[in-house]
Amino acid sequence: PGHCAECHSGRNLLGGIKAAQRFAGGPNAEGVGWVPNITSHEDGLATWSVKDMAYFLETGLDKDGNPVDPEMQAVIANTSKLPPADREAMARYLKSLPARAGKPPPKAP
């Protein structure tokens, strides 16, 4: 689960994770796109259950049936091979994260 912070956290000018924005999403470090907030904040996964998150880690489909973004496909390819109990443990960990407000993604032109 510690890997989640690598992509889902805001960064400082030197590329370090900003502690106050850990897991709160932000600009994709690759320079294109936006990485979602995965905390239980209202702009994150507040409405997701542990079951929703475990299902996502297995299938790559969010709770509304939408597929994961391409950047997350490699992660899902790995988490889908884990035993169900491990995916549930990861989901419980994510639900336990403190709710943090993230920056809103830029509006589409």
Side-chain angles (χ1 to χ4, degrees):
H3 168 82
C4 301
E6 290 302 315
C7 295
H8 290 273
S9 299
R11 301 280 179 164
N12 62 28
L13 291 175
L14 298 175
I17 293 174
K18 293 180 182 177
Q21 293 178 346
R22 190 169 180 84
F23 302 108
N28 185 331
E30 302 292 320
V32 178
W34 198 261
V35 180
N37 183 336
I38 59 171
T39 72
S40 290
H41 192 270
E42 64 189 36
D43 66 5
L45 301 177
T47 63
W48 286 46
S49 68
V50 168
K51 184 178 175 181
D52 293 333
M53 293 173 117
Y55 181 76
F56 174 78
L57 294 169
E58 179 182 7
T59 66
L61 299 174
D62 69 17
K63 67 184 195 129
D64 297 320
N66 300 309
V68 68
D69 288 337
E71 295 83 10
M72 187 73 179
Q73 288 175 354
V75 175
I76 298 299
N78 287 313
T79 58
S80 67
K81 295 175 185 161
L82 293 171
D86 289 354
R87 285 190 299 272
E88 183 178 335
M90 290 174 72
R92 288 189 184 286
Y93 169 76
L94 291 170
K95 284 300 284 183
S96 76
L97 295 173
R100 291 193 169 120
K103 292 182 180 179
K107 295 190 190 278

